[in-house]
Amino acid sequence: VARVLGGGDALVVVPTGGGKSLMYQLPALVLGGRDDRAPGVALVFSPLIALMEDQVSALRQRGIRAAYVNSTLDRAQREARYRALGRGDYELIYATPERMGKEAFVEALGRVPGGVHLLAIDEAHCVSKWGHDLRPAYQEVGRFREQLGCPTTIALTATATRRVRDDIRAALGRDAGSMPLFASGLDRPNLSLEVESVYDEDDTVARIAAIAGAMPGTGIVYGALIRDLERLVDRLRKVLAGRPVMLYHGRLDPRQKKRVYDRFIASPPGEGLVLVATNAFGMGVDKPDIRFIVHAQVPGSVEAYYQEVGRAGRDGEAARCVLLYAQDDLAIQQEFVRWKNPPAHLLAELVVAMERSGHSDFDADELRLAVLGKVGGDRRVEHARITLEKMGVVEAAFAPERYRLVRALCDDELDEAAIQAKLRGDLERLYDIVRLTQSEDIRAFVLEYFDLGGSETDEPG
């Protein structure tokens, strides 16, 4: 905070629940109070719509003038916020980096009295092709920063290896001297990190029941496949009689998602609620008293694993984190990795199909039919659509689960060699999870993996 208030850039790696949001929100308020006539605004790049909405809601409840601009707003709402932004009505404005491609948004930022005095890049690992959640628009943040006049910049993440940290700095045109590392260390002594081998679904259910029985309080059970989790919920409701068991995944109706989320957050410790979820649940979840995290299926990377277990024990009390390892689960994650790295030809075919269609928006089955000639069952097109959304080529339409084409693909956007390199990198990260499960000391493995012990700069961090 002191460095940012002094005009210095910073790269922050702090565990989930370590207070990353405060590290840019506090400077934003102080900087905005230095000049009443030209207070400026803090621009926060955030990758997830739900995450930015939660943060803005929490800030507004505290009387802080914050807002977000994203695809959930209709045109009239966006234009109203652009006008308010240009007048200097906001202390913080949240957006995805893709929003910098919208001329109206950039123009509104340019009208702010005092301009953008702070740029905060949340979930900064999304910048790096070596991170576990690359978003192409995040790789443009260096150019956006220059476009904004190079304001003081703070990049924050809970998980970044040395390679990813170097990549973040390079994307921003910085180095370890101009953007030093501030890391609180990833060790969470109150978390018990364990791996147990399981052999079938019966074994998995029995282990989860035993863990939940030994750790009264709220818990999360993570898995990869929705169909497996639906079956797991049914079985856990039978063996955990008297304890509520709920399900959360990305395909739930938005109102159902909110209902489950609100129920989970409000759940008292004595109720012992167990939430069974995909990794769609977790980002921005601020519940201090989660007593256990179980991975019922292998996560896709060490970064994902540590982010997810980091949601436990934020109150400092003991929490148990158990990864249930079955070798067959690796095949599931390998398939996910291939889905998440769609080939260039599939991305191009999807865009051509949308351009040639007379429809203004599409759902997943319509896209599958147009490109593959069939509906249902094949996830390749859906993940290609997700990739195009991250690239800013398509965006969510106003109707649920429908998407519209925003722009054509540029000639240099589809690099098959780069796609294959990222595929190999993602498979290597999956292999690192196997190494973690075989480690005698998981905590030591994780700390070595993220390599935060050595100095990256002569300036203290």
Side-chain angles (χ1 to χ4, degrees):
V1 170
R3 178 171 174 82
V4 172
L5 287 175
D9 300 329
L11 174 59
V12 175
V13 181
V14 174
T16 300
K20 290 185 296 297
S21 300
L22 184 65
M23 295 176 196
Y24 63 81
Q25 291 172 353
L26 181 56
L29 300 180
V30 174
L31 292 170
R34 288 180 173 174
D35 188 342
D36 291 338
R37 292 169 298 177
V41 69
L43 171 60
V44 183
F45 282 149
S46 181
L48 292 179
I49 287 173
L51 185 59
M52 71 173 74
E53 290 176 351
D54 286 347
Q55 293 236 352
V56 168
S57 175
L59 288 168
R60 293 180 71 88
Q61 287 174 16
R62 290 166 173 80
I64 296 167
R65 291 178 288 112
Y68 60 81
V69 181
N70 59 40
S71 59
T72 66
L73 305 177
D74 61 31
R75 181 174 178 178
Q77 291 172 316
R78 286 198 303 271
E79 289 178 350
R81 294 195 185 185
Y82 290 157
R83 289 192 296 271
L85 176 61
R87 291 194 302 266
D89 289 355
Y90 301 132
E91 295 166 285
L92 296 99
I93 185 74
Y94 284 71
T96 62
E98 287 85 355
R99 188 59 47 181
M100 289 296 292
K102 307 293 184 180
E103 185 177 348
F105 181 66
V106 176
E107 288 179 352
L109 287 172
R111 295 194 303 271
V112 177
V116 175
H117 56 57
L118 176 64
L119 173 62
I121 305 163
D122 203 7
E123 307 297 338
H125 56 269
C126 295
V127 168
S128 175
K129 59 181 175 293
W130 307 116
H132 66 287
D133 191 19
L134 170 69
R135 292 177 67 98
Y138 262 75
Q139 294 192 302
E140 297 293 315
V141 293
R143 181 172 64 82
F144 296 156
R145 181 174 181 271
E146 291 182 0
Q147 190 175 346
L148 296 167
C150 295
T152 301
T153 302
I154 180 170
L156 313 100
T157 178
T159 51
T161 62
R162 187 177 290 266
R163 189 182 197 182
V164 169
R165 299 194 295 271
D166 289 343
D167 217 16
I168 292 169
R169 292 188 181 104
L172 291 165
R174 318 307 286 154
D175 57 26
S178 59
M179 180 174 257
L181 174 67
F182 291 78
S184 65
L186 289 175
D187 195 16
R188 297 275 305 283
N190 64 312
L191 301 186
S192 169
L193 305 181
E194 308 166 44
V195 174
E196 296 182 5
S197 294
V198 292
Y199 304 101
D200 55 26
E201 188 176 275
D202 290 344
D203 198 9
T204 297
V205 171
R207 299 294 181 91
I208 294 171
I211 294 164
M215 297 293 294
T218 306
I220 303 176
V221 177
Y222 279 112
L225 292 176
I226 294 173
R227 66 171 183 267
D228 291 347
L229 294 186
E230 289 173 337
R231 192 167 59 247
L232 183 59
V233 164
D234 289 340
R235 297 195 61 178
L236 287 176
R237 282 174 177 159
K238 295 174 182 176
V239 299
L240 296 177
R243 295 183 68 165
V245 180
M246 303 189 74
L247 175 66
Y248 187 102
H249 57 75
R251 292 191 220 165
L252 289 179
D253 176 272
R255 288 171 295 182
Q256 177 70 354
K257 285 182 184 177
K258 187 176 188 312
R259 188 181 74 80
V260 174
Y261 174 86
D262 291 346
R263 176 81 167 76
F264 177 82
I265 292 297
S267 175
E271 185 179 41
L273 185 145
V274 177
L275 180 69
V276 178
T278 64
N279 61 7
F281 185 86
M283 277 241 184
V285 171
D286 187 13
K287 185 173 177 60
D289 56 355
I290 297 173
R291 295 275 66 88
F292 63 90
I293 303 281
V294 178
H295 282 89
Q297 292 173 320
V298 175
S301 67
V302 177
E303 291 92 334
Y305 164 78
Y306 206 64
Q307 267 200 341
E308 287 157 11
V309 299
R311 287 156 195 154
R314 289 190 180 189
D315 54 6
E317 299 298 321
R320 190 177 178 193
C321 306
V322 184
L323 193 165
L324 301 180
Y325 178 67
Q327 191 168 353
D328 290 347
D329 288 344
L330 290 175
I332 297 171
Q333 286 295 346
Q334 285 175 327
E335 192 72 6
F336 276 165
V337 167
R338 298 189 186 282
W339 285 347
K340 288 189 289 187
N341 292 279
H345 73 84
L346 181 58
L347 297 172
E349 289 169 10
L350 196 58
V351 172
V352 168
M354 296 176 81
E355 288 173 333
R356 290 179 177 174
S357 171
H359 295 178
S360 60
D361 55 33
F362 310 82
D363 67 16
D365 273 337
E366 288 168 338
L367 294 173
R368 271 191 285 265
L369 184 61
V371 175
L372 302 177
K374 61 180 180 180
V375 298
D378 194 313
R379 302 281 291 168
R380 288 177 295 163
V381 166
E382 193 158 348
H383 281 274
R385 190 272 304 160
I386 292 170
T387 299
L388 291 171
E389 187 175 8
K390 289 180 177 181
M391 295 168 66
V393 175
V394 304
E395 68 179 12
F398 296 127
E401 302 300 325
R402 296 191 69 82
Y403 301 85
R404 56 172 174 258
L405 185 67
V406 176
R407 63 172 179 84
L409 280 166
C410 299
D411 292 339
D412 60 352
E413 284 188 287
L414 298 182
D415 183 341
E416 186 61 37
I419 291 172
Q420 290 302 312
K422 183 174 180 300
L423 173 62
R424 287 192 298 273
D426 288 350
L427 289 171
E428 287 171 5
R429 275 195 294 278
L430 181 57
Y431 174 65
D432 287 332
I433 274 287
V434 177
R435 292 174 53 226
L436 179 147
T437 66
Q438 297 171 348
S439 171
E440 294 182 2
D441 187 336
I442 300 172
R443 189 180 306 277
F445 180 94
V446 169
L447 295 178
E448 182 180 355
Y449 181 86
F450 289 109
D451 188 19
L452 287 169
S455 173
E456 298 180 23
T457 174
D458 294 333
E459 187 164 347

PDB file of all heavy atoms in Angstrom, residues 99-128:
ATOM      1  N   ARG A  99     -13.168  -4.807 -22.240  1.00  0.00           N
ATOM      2  CA  ARG A  99     -13.906  -3.546 -22.321  1.00  0.00           C
ATOM      3  C   ARG A  99     -13.051  -2.437 -22.919  1.00  0.00           C
ATOM      4  O   ARG A  99     -13.569  -1.465 -23.466  1.00  0.00           O
ATOM      5  CB  ARG A  99     -14.393  -3.171 -20.909  1.00  0.00           C
ATOM      6  CG  ARG A  99     -15.334  -2.008 -20.804  1.00  0.00           C
ATOM      7  CD  ARG A  99     -16.608  -2.134 -21.577  1.00  0.00           C
ATOM      8  NE  ARG A  99     -17.298  -3.404 -21.435  1.00  0.00           N
ATOM      9  CZ  ARG A  99     -18.436  -3.705 -22.054  1.00  0.00           C
ATOM     10  NH1 ARG A  99     -18.992  -2.815 -22.878  1.00  0.00           N
ATOM     11  NH2 ARG A  99     -19.011  -4.883 -21.883  1.00  0.00           N
ATOM     12  N   MET A 100     -11.710  -2.570 -22.840  1.00  0.00           N
ATOM     13  CA  MET A 100     -10.831  -1.550 -23.417  1.00  0.00           C
ATOM     14  C   MET A 100     -10.909  -1.533 -24.938  1.00  0.00           C
ATOM     15  O   MET A 100     -10.429  -0.598 -25.579  1.00  0.00           O
ATOM     16  CB  MET A 100      -9.388  -1.771 -22.967  1.00  0.00           C
ATOM     17  CG  MET A 100      -9.136  -1.446 -21.511  1.00  0.00           C
ATOM     18  SD  MET A 100      -9.384   0.296 -21.078  1.00  0.00           S
ATOM     19  CE  MET A 100      -8.022   1.075 -21.956  1.00  0.00           C
ATOM     20  N   GLY A 101     -11.532  -2.550 -25.513  1.00  0.00           N
ATOM     21  CA  GLY A 101     -11.760  -2.550 -26.946  1.00  0.00           C
ATOM     22  C   GLY A 101     -13.010  -1.799 -27.354  1.00  0.00           C
ATOM     23  O   GLY A 101     -13.314  -1.693 -28.552  1.00  0.00           O
ATOM     24  N   LYS A 102     -13.750  -1.269 -26.375  1.00  0.00           N
ATOM     25  CA  LYS A 102     -14.985  -0.530 -26.643  1.00  0.00           C
ATOM     26  C   LYS A 102     -14.677   0.966 -26.627  1.00  0.00           C
ATOM     27  O   LYS A 102     -14.264   1.530 -25.607  1.00  0.00           O
ATOM     28  CB  LYS A 102     -16.053  -0.855 -25.603  1.00  0.00           C
ATOM     29  CG  LYS A 102     -16.335  -2.348 -25.424  1.00  0.00           C
ATOM     30  CD  LYS A 102     -16.979  -2.951 -26.656  1.00  0.00           C
ATOM     31  CE  LYS A 102     -17.339  -4.419 -26.417  1.00  0.00           C
ATOM     32  NZ  LYS A 102     -17.959  -5.044 -27.595  1.00  0.00           N
ATOM     33  N   GLU A 103     -14.868   1.620 -27.753  1.00  0.00           N
ATOM     34  CA  GLU A 103     -14.518   3.036 -27.891  1.00  0.00           C
ATOM     35  C   GLU A 103     -15.231   3.910 -26.866  1.00  0.00           C
ATOM     36  O   GLU A 103     -14.637   4.836 -26.288  1.00  0.00           O
ATOM     37  CB  GLU A 103     -14.852   3.507 -29.310  1.00  0.00           C
ATOM     38  CG  GLU A 103     -14.417   4.930 -29.602  1.00  0.00           C
ATOM     39  CD  GLU A 103     -14.695   5.339 -31.038  1.00  0.00           C
ATOM     40  OE1 GLU A 103     -15.017   4.446 -31.861  1.00  0.00           O
ATOM     41  OE2 GLU A 103     -14.589   6.543 -31.342  1.00  0.00           O
ATOM     42  N   ALA A 104     -16.502   3.623 -26.592  1.00  0.00           N
ATOM     43  CA  ALA A 104     -17.272   4.450 -25.660  1.00  0.00           C
ATOM     44  C   ALA A 104     -16.684   4.386 -24.247  1.00  0.00           C
ATOM     45  O   ALA A 104     -16.665   5.389 -23.519  1.00  0.00           O
ATOM     46  CB  ALA A 104     -18.732   4.008 -25.642  1.00  0.00           C
ATOM     47  N   PHE A 105     -16.183   3.214 -23.855  1.00  0.00           N
ATOM     48  CA  PHE A 105     -15.599   3.067 -22.526  1.00  0.00           C
ATOM     49  C   PHE A 105     -14.290   3.852 -22.432  1.00  0.00           C
ATOM     50  O   PHE A 105     -14.039   4.563 -21.444  1.00  0.00           O
ATOM     51  CB  PHE A 105     -15.355   1.589 -22.233  1.00  0.00           C
ATOM     52  CG  PHE A 105     -14.763   1.313 -20.879  1.00  0.00           C
ATOM     53  CD1 PHE A 105     -15.472   1.582 -19.717  1.00  0.00           C
ATOM     54  CD2 PHE A 105     -13.485   0.777 -20.758  1.00  0.00           C
ATOM     55  CE1 PHE A 105     -14.927   1.324 -18.451  1.00  0.00           C
ATOM     56  CE2 PHE A 105     -12.930   0.508 -19.509  1.00  0.00           C
ATOM     57  CZ  PHE A 105     -13.660   0.796 -18.363  1.00  0.00           C
ATOM     58  N   VAL A 106     -13.446   3.713 -23.443  1.00  0.00           N
ATOM     59  CA  VAL A 106     -12.164   4.430 -23.445  1.00  0.00           C
ATOM     60  C   VAL A 106     -12.399   5.938 -23.437  1.00  0.00           C
ATOM     61  O   VAL A 106     -11.713   6.687 -22.730  1.00  0.00           O
ATOM     62  CB  VAL A 106     -11.320   4.004 -24.658  1.00  0.00           C
ATOM     63  CG1 VAL A 106     -10.024   4.812 -24.728  1.00  0.00           C
ATOM     64  CG2 VAL A 106     -10.999   2.509 -24.592  1.00  0.00           C
ATOM     65  N   GLU A 107     -13.386   6.402 -24.206  1.00  0.00           N
ATOM     66  CA  GLU A 107     -13.691   7.832 -24.231  1.00  0.00           C
ATOM     67  C   GLU A 107     -14.165   8.319 -22.864  1.00  0.00           C
ATOM     68  O   GLU A 107     -13.797   9.414 -22.414  1.00  0.00           O
ATOM     69  CB  GLU A 107     -14.760   8.127 -25.289  1.00  0.00           C
ATOM     70  CG  GLU A 107     -14.249   8.009 -26.720  1.00  0.00           C
ATOM     71  CD  GLU A 107     -15.344   8.290 -27.736  1.00  0.00           C
ATOM     72  OE1 GLU A 107     -16.529   8.424 -27.316  1.00  0.00           O
ATOM     73  OE2 GLU A 107     -15.032   8.352 -28.942  1.00  0.00           O
ATOM     74  N   ALA A 108     -14.976   7.506 -22.183  1.00  0.00           N
ATOM     75  CA  ALA A 108     -15.461   7.884 -20.848  1.00  0.00           C
ATOM     76  C   ALA A 108     -14.296   7.990 -19.868  1.00  0.00           C
ATOM     77  O   ALA A 108     -14.227   8.930 -19.059  1.00  0.00           O
ATOM     78  CB  ALA A 108     -16.490   6.877 -20.355  1.00  0.00           C
ATOM     79  N   LEU A 109     -13.360   7.053 -19.940  1.00  0.00           N
ATOM     80  CA  LEU A 109     -12.179   7.129 -19.081  1.00  0.00           C
ATOM     81  C   LEU A 109     -11.383   8.398 -19.360  1.00  0.00           C
ATOM     82  O   LEU A 109     -10.838   9.027 -18.446  1.00  0.00           O
ATOM     83  CB  LEU A 109     -11.283   5.907 -19.287  1.00  0.00           C
ATOM     84  CG  LEU A 109     -11.761   4.568 -18.717  1.00  0.00           C
ATOM     85  CD1 LEU A 109     -10.863   3.438 -19.189  1.00  0.00           C
ATOM     86  CD2 LEU A 109     -11.813   4.602 -17.190  1.00  0.00           C
ATOM     87  N   GLY A 110     -11.317   8.776 -20.637  1.00  0.00           N
ATOM     88  CA  GLY A 110     -10.569   9.967 -21.016  1.00  0.00           C
ATOM     89  C   GLY A 110     -11.183  11.263 -20.509  1.00  0.00           C
ATOM     90  O   GLY A 110     -10.495  12.291 -20.417  1.00  0.00           O
ATOM     91  N   ARG A 111     -12.480  11.237 -20.179  1.00  0.00           N
ATOM     92  CA  ARG A 111     -13.159  12.448 -19.680  1.00  0.00           C
ATOM     93  C   ARG A 111     -13.095  12.582 -18.163  1.00  0.00           C
ATOM     94  O   ARG A 111     -13.488  13.614 -17.613  1.00  0.00           O
ATOM     95  CB  ARG A 111     -14.634  12.447 -20.114  1.00  0.00           C
ATOM     96  CG  ARG A 111     -14.851  12.539 -21.618  1.00  0.00           C
ATOM     97  CD  ARG A 111     -16.303  12.885 -21.935  1.00  0.00           C
ATOM     98  NE  ARG A 111     -17.258  11.935 -21.366  1.00  0.00           N
ATOM     99  CZ  ARG A 111     -17.681  10.835 -21.977  1.00  0.00           C
ATOM    100  NH1 ARG A 111     -17.204  10.530 -23.180  1.00  0.00           N
ATOM    101  NH2 ARG A 111     -18.556  10.029 -21.409  1.00  0.00           N
ATOM    102  N   VAL A 112     -12.646  11.556 -17.468  1.00  0.00           N
ATOM    103  CA  VAL A 112     -12.628  11.583 -16.002  1.00  0.00           C
ATOM    104  C   VAL A 112     -11.726  12.717 -15.509  1.00  0.00           C
ATOM    105  O   VAL A 112     -10.553  12.774 -15.890  1.00  0.00           O
ATOM    106  CB  VAL A 112     -12.122  10.244 -15.425  1.00  0.00           C
ATOM    107  CG1 VAL A 112     -12.031  10.328 -13.906  1.00  0.00           C
ATOM    108  CG2 VAL A 112     -13.032   9.101 -15.833  1.00  0.00           C
ATOM    109  N   PRO A 113     -12.223  13.617 -14.687  1.00  0.00           N
ATOM    110  CA  PRO A 113     -11.361  14.665 -14.130  1.00  0.00           C
ATOM    111  C   PRO A 113     -10.233  14.035 -13.309  1.00  0.00           C
ATOM    112  O   PRO A 113     -10.487  13.338 -12.328  1.00  0.00           O
ATOM    113  CB  PRO A 113     -12.312  15.466 -13.227  1.00  0.00           C
ATOM    114  CG  PRO A 113     -13.685  15.168 -13.739  1.00  0.00           C
ATOM    115  CD  PRO A 113     -13.626  13.757 -14.243  1.00  0.00           C
ATOM    116  N   GLY A 114      -9.013  14.233 -13.737  1.00  0.00           N
ATOM    117  CA  GLY A 114      -7.879  13.612 -13.050  1.00  0.00           C
ATOM    118  C   GLY A 114      -7.450  12.303 -13.665  1.00  0.00           C
ATOM    119  O   GLY A 114      -6.406  11.755 -13.288  1.00  0.00           O
ATOM    120  N   GLY A 115      -8.243  11.766 -14.610  1.00  0.00           N
ATOM    121  CA  GLY A 115      -7.866  10.557 -15.322  1.00  0.00           C
ATOM    122  C   GLY A 115      -7.826   9.311 -14.453  1.00  0.00           C
ATOM    123  O   GLY A 115      -8.364   9.271 -13.336  1.00  0.00           O
ATOM    124  N   VAL A 116      -7.193   8.278 -14.969  1.00  0.00           N
ATOM    125  CA  VAL A 116      -7.022   7.021 -14.229  1.00  0.00           C
ATOM    126  C   VAL A 116      -5.741   7.139 -13.402  1.00  0.00           C
ATOM    127  O   VAL A 116      -4.639   7.200 -13.949  1.00  0.00           O
ATOM    128  CB  VAL A 116      -6.937   5.810 -15.187  1.00  0.00           C
ATOM    129  CG1 VAL A 116      -6.632   4.529 -14.404  1.00  0.00           C
ATOM    130  CG2 VAL A 116      -8.243   5.650 -15.961  1.00  0.00           C
ATOM    131  N   HIS A 117      -5.874   7.214 -12.070  1.00  0.00           N
ATOM    132  CA  HIS A 117      -4.693   7.373 -11.226  1.00  0.00           C
ATOM    133  C   HIS A 117      -4.132   6.038 -10.727  1.00  0.00           C
ATOM    134  O   HIS A 117      -3.019   5.989 -10.197  1.00  0.00           O
ATOM    135  CB  HIS A 117      -4.979   8.291 -10.038  1.00  0.00           C
ATOM    136  CG  HIS A 117      -6.138   7.868  -9.177  1.00  0.00           C
ATOM    137  ND1 HIS A 117      -6.217   6.642  -8.562  1.00  0.00           N
ATOM    138  CD2 HIS A 117      -7.271   8.537  -8.824  1.00  0.00           C
ATOM    139  CE1 HIS A 117      -7.338   6.556  -7.874  1.00  0.00           C
ATOM    140  NE2 HIS A 117      -8.005   7.688  -8.018  1.00  0.00           N
ATOM    141  N   LEU A 118      -4.907   4.955 -10.897  1.00  0.00           N
ATOM    142  CA  LEU A 118      -4.449   3.648 -10.447  1.00  0.00           C
ATOM    143  C   LEU A 118      -5.051   2.573 -11.340  1.00  0.00           C
ATOM    144  O   LEU A 118      -6.261   2.572 -11.595  1.00  0.00           O
ATOM    145  CB  LEU A 118      -4.869   3.410  -8.987  1.00  0.00           C
ATOM    146  CG  LEU A 118      -4.535   2.035  -8.387  1.00  0.00           C
ATOM    147  CD1 LEU A 118      -3.032   1.824  -8.326  1.00  0.00           C
ATOM    148  CD2 LEU A 118      -5.141   1.884  -6.987  1.00  0.00           C
ATOM    149  N   LEU A 119      -4.199   1.662 -11.812  1.00  0.00           N
ATOM    150  CA  LEU A 119      -4.654   0.499 -12.565  1.00  0.00           C
ATOM    151  C   LEU A 119      -4.375  -0.737 -11.730  1.00  0.00           C
ATOM    152  O   LEU A 119      -3.221  -1.023 -11.387  1.00  0.00           O
ATOM    153  CB  LEU A 119      -3.923   0.399 -13.908  1.00  0.00           C
ATOM    154  CG  LEU A 119      -4.190  -0.874 -14.735  1.00  0.00           C
ATOM    155  CD1 LEU A 119      -5.663  -0.980 -15.123  1.00  0.00           C
ATOM    156  CD2 LEU A 119      -3.300  -0.915 -15.975  1.00  0.00           C
ATOM    157  N   ALA A 120      -5.432  -1.465 -11.364  1.00  0.00           N
ATOM    158  CA  ALA A 120      -5.296  -2.709 -10.598  1.00  0.00           C
ATOM    159  C   ALA A 120      -5.672  -3.875 -11.499  1.00  0.00           C
ATOM    160  O   ALA A 120      -6.739  -3.868 -12.125  1.00  0.00           O
ATOM    161  CB  ALA A 120      -6.187  -2.678  -9.363  1.00  0.00           C
ATOM    162  N   ILE A 121      -4.807  -4.862 -11.580  1.00  0.00           N
ATOM    163  CA  ILE A 121      -5.034  -6.040 -12.424  1.00  0.00           C
ATOM    164  C   ILE A 121      -5.241  -7.225 -11.495  1.00  0.00           C
ATOM    165  O   ILE A 121      -4.277  -7.796 -10.960  1.00  0.00           O
ATOM    166  CB  ILE A 121      -3.853  -6.278 -13.373  1.00  0.00           C
ATOM    167  CG1 ILE A 121      -3.594  -5.020 -14.202  1.00  0.00           C
ATOM    168  CG2 ILE A 121      -4.112  -7.473 -14.275  1.00  0.00           C
ATOM    169  CD1 ILE A 121      -2.236  -4.994 -14.851  1.00  0.00           C
ATOM    170  N   ASP A 122      -6.493  -7.567 -11.255  1.00  0.00           N
ATOM    171  CA  ASP A 122      -6.815  -8.670 -10.359  1.00  0.00           C
ATOM    172  C   ASP A 122      -6.700  -9.991 -11.125  1.00  0.00           C
ATOM    173  O   ASP A 122      -6.904 -10.030 -12.344  1.00  0.00           O
ATOM    174  CB  ASP A 122      -8.224  -8.489  -9.800  1.00  0.00           C
ATOM    175  CG  ASP A 122      -8.439  -9.228  -8.493  1.00  0.00           C
ATOM    176  OD1 ASP A 122      -7.457  -9.778  -7.956  1.00  0.00           O
ATOM    177  OD2 ASP A 122      -9.576  -9.252  -8.005  1.00  0.00           O
ATOM    178  N   GLU A 123      -6.411 -11.073 -10.401  1.00  0.00           N
ATOM    179  CA  GLU A 123      -6.196 -12.389 -11.018  1.00  0.00           C
ATOM    180  C   GLU A 123      -5.175 -12.263 -12.153  1.00  0.00           C
ATOM    181  O   GLU A 123      -5.388 -12.715 -13.287  1.00  0.00           O
ATOM    182  CB  GLU A 123      -7.519 -12.970 -11.526  1.00  0.00           C
ATOM    183  CG  GLU A 123      -8.620 -13.020 -10.497  1.00  0.00           C
ATOM    184  CD  GLU A 123      -8.319 -13.932  -9.300  1.00  0.00           C
ATOM    185  OE1 GLU A 123      -7.466 -14.828  -9.440  1.00  0.00           O
ATOM    186  OE2 GLU A 123      -8.942 -13.743  -8.245  1.00  0.00           O
ATOM    187  N   ALA A 124      -4.035 -11.646 -11.836  1.00  0.00           N
ATOM    188  CA  ALA A 124      -3.054 -11.282 -12.862  1.00  0.00           C
ATOM    189  C   ALA A 124      -2.416 -12.483 -13.554  1.00  0.00           C
ATOM    190  O   ALA A 124      -1.801 -12.325 -14.609  1.00  0.00           O
ATOM    191  CB  ALA A 124      -1.967 -10.406 -12.244  1.00  0.00           C
ATOM    192  N   HIS A 125      -2.558 -13.678 -12.991  1.00  0.00           N
ATOM    193  CA  HIS A 125      -2.029 -14.863 -13.683  1.00  0.00           C
ATOM    194  C   HIS A 125      -2.697 -15.070 -15.038  1.00  0.00           C
ATOM    195  O   HIS A 125      -2.163 -15.776 -15.896  1.00  0.00           O
ATOM    196  CB  HIS A 125      -2.190 -16.120 -12.825  1.00  0.00           C
ATOM    197  CG  HIS A 125      -3.612 -16.369 -12.409  1.00  0.00           C
ATOM    198  ND1 HIS A 125      -4.151 -15.874 -11.245  1.00  0.00           N
ATOM    199  CD2 HIS A 125      -4.617 -17.044 -13.018  1.00  0.00           C
ATOM    200  CE1 HIS A 125      -5.408 -16.241 -11.153  1.00  0.00           C
ATOM    201  NE2 HIS A 125      -5.720 -16.956 -12.210  1.00  0.00           N
ATOM    202  N   CYS A 126      -3.878 -14.449 -15.237  1.00  0.00           N
ATOM    203  CA  CYS A 126      -4.575 -14.556 -16.524  1.00  0.00           C
ATOM    204  C   CYS A 126      -3.788 -13.885 -17.655  1.00  0.00           C
ATOM    205  O   CYS A 126      -4.094 -14.088 -18.829  1.00  0.00           O
ATOM    206  CB  CYS A 126      -5.966 -13.926 -16.438  1.00  0.00           C
ATOM    207  SG  CYS A 126      -7.108 -14.747 -15.309  1.00  0.00           S
ATOM    208  N   VAL A 127      -2.779 -13.078 -17.309  1.00  0.00           N
ATOM    209  CA  VAL A 127      -1.933 -12.437 -18.310  1.00  0.00           C
ATOM    210  C   VAL A 127      -1.063 -13.460 -19.023  1.00  0.00           C
ATOM    211  O   VAL A 127      -0.775 -13.338 -20.213  1.00  0.00           O
ATOM    212  CB  VAL A 127      -1.035 -11.364 -17.638  1.00  0.00           C
ATOM    213  CG1 VAL A 127       0.053 -10.894 -18.602  1.00  0.00           C
ATOM    214  CG2 VAL A 127      -1.867 -10.185 -17.153  1.00  0.00           C
ATOM    215  N   SER A 128      -0.630 -14.476 -18.301  1.00  0.00           N
ATOM    216  CA  SER A 128       0.459 -15.335 -18.773  1.00  0.00           C
ATOM    217  C   SER A 128      -0.020 -16.566 -19.520  1.00  0.00           C
ATOM    218  O   SER A 128      -0.923 -17.273 -19.074  1.00  0.00           O
ATOM    219  CB  SER A 128       1.313 -15.780 -17.578  1.00  0.00           C
ATOM    220  OG  SER A 128       2.301 -16.688 -17.988  1.00  0.00           O
TER     221      SER A 128
END
